[in-house]
Amino acid sequence: MEDGIRILVADDEEINRKLLGKLLERHGFIQKAVESGRVALNEWRSGDWDLVILDVNMPDTDSFGLINN
């Protein structure tokens, strides 16, 4: 695993994922962007993330419901 702060981004809008991903990488963070709450939950459970940024409203789940899983 690479050294550095690892950030997982979940947003159903592709443009948001791309913009936030570029911004985070520009500041030296290791990031991965996913398109849904369910994918984010699986990634979070299997990864070693320092921070997770969730879109509040996604088609498959909202971030508040995801936190309770």
Side-chain angles (χ1 to χ4, degrees):
M1 183 176 300
E2 297 177 52
D3 290 337
I5 296 173
R6 296 173 40 86
I7 300 174
L8 176 63
V9 175
D11 196 311
D12 57 314
E13 296 290 332
E14 183 178 9
I15 188 70
N16 293 343
R17 293 191 308 269
K18 286 182 178 181
L19 288 172
L20 189 52
K22 287 181 187 246
L23 178 67
L24 292 171
E25 287 177 350
R26 185 178 304 146
H27 288 281
F29 297 105
I30 300 162
Q31 65 86 32
K32 180 173 184 177
V34 298
E35 70 282 351
S36 75
R38 297 200 191 291
V39 175
L41 184 59
N42 290 334
E43 186 64 39
W44 173 71
R45 286 179 173 160
S46 66
D48 184 23
W49 300 101
D50 298 302
L51 176 68
V52 179
I53 299 174
L54 299 171
D55 181 4
V56 172
N57 242 344
M58 290 181 278
D60 62 338
T61 184
D62 66 30
S63 58
F64 301 110
L66 193 64
I67 292 169
N68 294 321
N69 283 314

